[in-house]
Short mmCIF file of all heavy atoms in Angstrom, two decimals:
data_model
loop_
_atom_site.label_atom_id
_atom_site.label_comp_id
_atom_site.label_asym_id
_atom_site.label_seq_id
_atom_site.Cartn_x
_atom_site.Cartn_y
_atom_site.Cartn_z
N ARG A 1 46.74 78.93 -61.47
CA ARG A 1 46.82 77.56 -60.97
C ARG A 1 48.29 77.21 -60.75
O ARG A 1 49.15 77.60 -61.54
CB ARG A 1 46.20 76.58 -61.97
CG ARG A 1 44.72 76.84 -62.22
CD ARG A 1 44.11 75.76 -63.09
NE ARG A 1 42.69 75.99 -63.32
CZ ARG A 1 41.86 75.10 -63.84
NH1 ARG A 1 42.32 73.91 -64.20
NH2 ARG A 1 40.58 75.40 -64.01
N PHE A 2 48.55 76.48 -59.69
CA PHE A 2 49.93 76.12 -59.39
C PHE A 2 49.98 74.83 -58.59
O PHE A 2 48.98 74.38 -58.03
CB PHE A 2 50.64 77.25 -58.62
CG PHE A 2 49.92 77.68 -57.37
CD1 PHE A 2 50.09 77.00 -56.17
CD2 PHE A 2 49.07 78.79 -57.38
CE1 PHE A 2 49.42 77.40 -55.01
CE2 PHE A 2 48.39 79.19 -56.24
CZ PHE A 2 48.57 78.50 -55.05
N THR A 3 51.15 74.25 -58.55
CA THR A 3 51.42 73.08 -57.72
C THR A 3 52.63 73.39 -56.87
O THR A 3 53.73 73.61 -57.39
CB THR A 3 51.72 71.83 -58.59
OG1 THR A 3 50.59 71.56 -59.42
CG2 THR A 3 52.00 70.62 -57.71
N THR A 4 52.44 73.48 -55.58
CA THR A 4 53.55 73.80 -54.69
C THR A 4 54.57 72.66 -54.71
O THR A 4 54.22 71.49 -54.61
CB THR A 4 53.05 74.01 -53.26
OG1 THR A 4 52.14 75.12 -53.25
CG2 THR A 4 54.21 74.33 -52.31
N GLY A 5 55.83 73.04 -54.85
CA GLY A 5 56.90 72.05 -54.89
C GLY A 5 58.11 72.61 -55.61
O GLY A 5 58.24 73.83 -55.78
N ARG A 6 58.98 71.73 -56.07
CA ARG A 6 60.21 72.17 -56.75
C ARG A 6 60.64 71.12 -57.77
O ARG A 6 60.25 69.95 -57.69
CB ARG A 6 61.34 72.38 -55.74
CG ARG A 6 61.78 71.10 -55.03
CD ARG A 6 63.06 71.30 -54.23
NE ARG A 6 63.47 70.08 -53.55
CZ ARG A 6 64.18 69.11 -54.09
NH1 ARG A 6 64.58 69.21 -55.35
NH2 ARG A 6 64.52 68.04 -53.39
N ARG A 7 61.46 71.58 -58.72
CA ARG A 7 62.08 70.63 -59.64
C ARG A 7 63.01 69.70 -58.85
O ARG A 7 63.69 70.15 -57.91
CB ARG A 7 62.92 71.34 -60.70
CG ARG A 7 62.17 72.33 -61.55
CD ARG A 7 61.22 71.70 -62.54
NE ARG A 7 60.44 72.74 -63.20
CZ ARG A 7 59.28 72.56 -63.79
NH1 ARG A 7 58.73 71.35 -63.79
NH2 ARG A 7 58.65 73.56 -64.34
N ARG A 8 63.03 68.45 -59.23
CA ARG A 8 63.95 67.52 -58.56
C ARG A 8 65.41 67.94 -58.79
O ARG A 8 66.25 67.78 -57.92
CB ARG A 8 63.71 66.10 -59.05
CG ARG A 8 62.34 65.57 -58.66
CD ARG A 8 62.19 64.09 -58.97
NE ARG A 8 60.84 63.64 -58.69
CZ ARG A 8 60.40 63.30 -57.48
NH1 ARG A 8 61.23 63.37 -56.45
NH2 ARG A 8 59.15 62.90 -57.30
N LYS A 9 65.65 68.49 -59.96
CA LYS A 9 66.95 69.09 -60.25
C LYS A 9 66.69 70.44 -60.91
O LYS A 9 65.98 70.51 -61.92
CB LYS A 9 67.78 68.20 -61.17
CG LYS A 9 68.21 66.88 -60.55
CD LYS A 9 69.07 66.08 -61.53
CE LYS A 9 69.53 64.78 -60.89
NZ LYS A 9 70.37 63.99 -61.83
N THR A 10 67.26 71.48 -60.35
CA THR A 10 67.05 72.82 -60.92
C THR A 10 68.17 73.21 -61.89
O THR A 10 68.05 74.20 -62.59
CB THR A 10 66.94 73.87 -59.80
OG1 THR A 10 67.97 73.66 -58.84
CG2 THR A 10 65.59 73.76 -59.09
N TRP A 11 69.24 72.43 -61.92
CA TRP A 11 70.32 72.61 -62.90
C TRP A 11 70.56 71.24 -63.53
O TRP A 11 70.94 70.28 -62.85
CB TRP A 11 71.57 73.14 -62.21
CG TRP A 11 72.77 73.36 -63.10
CD1 TRP A 11 72.98 72.89 -64.36
CD2 TRP A 11 73.94 74.12 -62.78
NE1 TRP A 11 74.19 73.29 -64.85
CE2 TRP A 11 74.80 74.05 -63.89
CE3 TRP A 11 74.33 74.84 -61.65
CZ2 TRP A 11 76.05 74.69 -63.90
CZ3 TRP A 11 75.57 75.47 -61.66
CH2 TRP A 11 76.42 75.39 -62.77
N VAL A 12 70.32 71.13 -64.83
CA VAL A 12 70.54 69.90 -65.58
C VAL A 12 71.37 70.22 -66.81
O VAL A 12 70.98 71.08 -67.61
CB VAL A 12 69.21 69.24 -66.00
CG1 VAL A 12 69.46 67.97 -66.81
CG2 VAL A 12 68.34 68.93 -64.79
N GLN A 13 72.52 69.57 -66.93
CA GLN A 13 73.44 69.79 -68.06
C GLN A 13 73.78 71.27 -68.20
O GLN A 13 74.34 71.85 -67.28
CB GLN A 13 72.86 69.14 -69.32
CG GLN A 13 72.81 67.62 -69.19
CD GLN A 13 72.33 66.91 -70.42
OE1 GLN A 13 71.31 66.23 -70.39
NE2 GLN A 13 73.05 67.03 -71.51
N ASN A 14 73.41 71.89 -69.30
CA ASN A 14 73.76 73.32 -69.45
C ASN A 14 72.54 74.22 -69.31
O ASN A 14 72.46 75.29 -69.92
CB ASN A 14 74.47 73.56 -70.79
CG ASN A 14 73.53 73.39 -71.99
OD1 ASN A 14 72.60 72.59 -71.93
ND2 ASN A 14 73.80 74.10 -73.07
N VAL A 15 71.59 73.79 -68.47
CA VAL A 15 70.38 74.58 -68.24
C VAL A 15 70.15 74.74 -66.74
O VAL A 15 70.12 73.76 -65.99
CB VAL A 15 69.14 73.93 -68.88
CG1 VAL A 15 67.87 74.67 -68.47
CG2 VAL A 15 69.27 73.91 -70.41
N LEU A 16 69.97 75.98 -66.32
CA LEU A 16 69.60 76.33 -64.95
C LEU A 16 68.19 76.90 -64.98
O LEU A 16 67.86 77.71 -65.85
CB LEU A 16 70.57 77.37 -64.40
CG LEU A 16 70.28 77.91 -62.99
CD1 LEU A 16 70.82 76.93 -61.96
CD2 LEU A 16 70.90 79.28 -62.80
N SER A 17 67.36 76.50 -64.02
CA SER A 17 66.01 77.06 -63.94
C SER A 17 65.91 78.04 -62.77
O SER A 17 66.51 77.82 -61.72
CB SER A 17 64.97 75.95 -63.79
OG SER A 17 65.24 75.13 -62.67
N LEU A 18 65.17 79.11 -62.98
CA LEU A 18 64.96 80.13 -61.96
C LEU A 18 63.49 80.52 -61.90
O LEU A 18 62.75 80.34 -62.86
CB LEU A 18 65.80 81.38 -62.26
CG LEU A 18 67.30 81.33 -62.03
CD1 LEU A 18 67.92 82.64 -62.52
CD2 LEU A 18 67.65 81.09 -60.58
N GLY A 19 63.10 81.11 -60.77
CA GLY A 19 61.74 81.57 -60.62
C GLY A 19 60.76 80.41 -60.65
O GLY A 19 61.02 79.33 -60.13
N LEU A 20 59.61 80.61 -61.30
CA LEU A 20 58.57 79.59 -61.33
C LEU A 20 58.99 78.37 -62.12
O LEU A 20 58.41 77.29 -61.96
CB LEU A 20 57.28 80.17 -61.91
CG LEU A 20 56.67 81.34 -61.13
CD1 LEU A 20 55.42 81.85 -61.84
CD2 LEU A 20 56.34 80.92 -59.70
N ALA A 21 59.99 78.50 -62.97
CA ALA A 21 60.50 77.33 -63.70
C ALA A 21 61.23 76.38 -62.77
O ALA A 21 61.37 75.19 -63.07
CB ALA A 21 61.43 77.77 -64.83
N ALA A 22 61.70 76.89 -61.62
CA ALA A 22 62.44 76.06 -60.67
C ALA A 22 61.54 75.44 -59.61
O ALA A 22 61.84 74.38 -59.06
CB ALA A 22 63.53 76.89 -59.99
N GLY A 23 60.43 76.10 -59.31
CA GLY A 23 59.53 75.60 -58.28
C GLY A 23 58.58 76.70 -57.86
O GLY A 23 58.69 77.85 -58.30
N PHE A 24 57.64 76.34 -56.99
CA PHE A 24 56.68 77.34 -56.53
C PHE A 24 56.40 77.17 -55.05
O PHE A 24 56.08 76.08 -54.57
CB PHE A 24 55.36 77.24 -57.29
CG PHE A 24 54.37 78.30 -56.89
CD1 PHE A 24 54.46 79.58 -57.39
CD2 PHE A 24 53.36 78.02 -55.98
CE1 PHE A 24 53.56 80.56 -57.01
CE2 PHE A 24 52.45 78.99 -55.58
CZ PHE A 24 52.56 80.27 -56.10
N MET A 25 56.55 78.27 -54.33
CA MET A 25 56.13 78.37 -52.93
C MET A 25 55.04 79.43 -52.87
O MET A 25 55.25 80.56 -53.35
CB MET A 25 57.29 78.80 -52.04
CG MET A 25 58.43 77.81 -51.98
SD MET A 25 57.98 76.34 -51.06
CE MET A 25 59.59 75.67 -50.73
N GLU A 26 53.88 79.09 -52.33
CA GLU A 26 52.84 80.10 -52.25
C GLU A 26 53.39 81.34 -51.54
O GLU A 26 54.28 81.24 -50.69
CB GLU A 26 51.61 79.55 -51.53
CG GLU A 26 51.85 79.12 -50.11
CD GLU A 26 50.58 78.56 -49.49
OE1 GLU A 26 50.27 77.37 -49.66
OE2 GLU A 26 49.88 79.34 -48.82
N PRO A 27 52.88 82.53 -51.88
CA PRO A 27 53.50 83.78 -51.42
C PRO A 27 53.21 84.14 -49.96
O PRO A 27 53.22 85.31 -49.60
CB PRO A 27 52.92 84.82 -52.38
CG PRO A 27 51.60 84.26 -52.79
CD PRO A 27 51.79 82.77 -52.85
N LEU A 28 53.00 83.15 -49.13
CA LEU A 28 52.64 83.37 -47.74
C LEU A 28 53.71 84.16 -46.99
O LEU A 28 53.41 85.01 -46.15
CB LEU A 28 52.41 82.01 -47.07
CG LEU A 28 52.02 81.98 -45.61
CD1 LEU A 28 50.74 82.76 -45.38
CD2 LEU A 28 51.84 80.53 -45.14
N GLU A 29 54.98 83.86 -47.25
CA GLU A 29 56.08 84.57 -46.58
C GLU A 29 56.96 85.31 -47.58
O GLU A 29 58.13 85.60 -47.32
CB GLU A 29 56.92 83.59 -45.75
CG GLU A 29 56.25 83.14 -44.46
CD GLU A 29 56.24 84.21 -43.37
OE1 GLU A 29 56.85 85.28 -43.57
OE2 GLU A 29 55.62 83.98 -42.31
N SER A 30 56.39 85.61 -48.76
CA SER A 30 57.04 86.51 -49.73
C SER A 30 58.42 86.02 -50.17
O SER A 30 59.36 86.80 -50.26
CB SER A 30 57.16 87.92 -49.15
OG SER A 30 55.95 88.35 -48.59
N THR A 31 58.54 84.73 -50.47
CA THR A 31 59.85 84.16 -50.79
C THR A 31 60.11 84.00 -52.28
O THR A 31 61.20 83.59 -52.67
CB THR A 31 60.00 82.78 -50.12
OG1 THR A 31 58.87 81.97 -50.48
CG2 THR A 31 60.06 82.91 -48.61
N GLY A 32 59.13 84.30 -53.14
CA GLY A 32 59.29 84.05 -54.57
C GLY A 32 60.49 84.72 -55.19
O GLY A 32 61.35 84.06 -55.79
N LEU A 33 60.59 86.04 -55.07
CA LEU A 33 61.72 86.75 -55.66
C LEU A 33 63.02 86.42 -54.94
O LEU A 33 64.09 86.42 -55.55
CB LEU A 33 61.46 88.25 -55.65
CG LEU A 33 60.37 88.75 -56.61
CD1 LEU A 33 60.26 90.26 -56.54
CD2 LEU A 33 60.66 88.31 -58.04
N HIS A 34 62.93 86.11 -53.65
CA HIS A 34 64.16 85.76 -52.94
C HIS A 34 64.75 84.46 -53.49
O HIS A 34 65.98 84.35 -53.61
CB HIS A 34 63.92 85.60 -51.45
CG HIS A 34 65.14 85.10 -50.73
ND1 HIS A 34 66.21 85.92 -50.42
CD2 HIS A 34 65.50 83.85 -50.34
CE1 HIS A 34 67.16 85.19 -49.85
NE2 HIS A 34 66.75 83.94 -49.79
N LEU A 35 63.92 83.49 -53.80
CA LEU A 35 64.44 82.24 -54.35
C LEU A 35 65.13 82.47 -55.69
O LEU A 35 66.15 81.83 -55.99
CB LEU A 35 63.31 81.21 -54.47
CG LEU A 35 62.87 80.60 -53.14
CD1 LEU A 35 61.55 79.86 -53.32
CD2 LEU A 35 63.94 79.67 -52.59
#
């Protein structure tokens, strides 16, 4: 289960989010690992 979208901020204070913690794009154009 997923919700397509992104964090409003992917870097907050001393925390950076990557991968699914940063957001989700369905794998239609294979962009997950590229992000």
Side-chain angles (χ1 to χ4, degrees):
R1 299 186 179 192
F2 54 84
T3 300
T4 299
R6 65 170 179 84
R7 302 288 174 202
R8 294 189 185 278
K9 293 182 178 180
T10 46
W11 180 344
V12 179
Q13 294 184 242
N14 69 330
V15 173
L16 177 82
S17 56
L18 287 175
L20 299 178
F24 183 80
M25 296 289 197
E26 61 181 85
L28 180 58
E29 286 285 355
S30 312
T31 53
L33 290 183
H34 174 78
L35 285 166

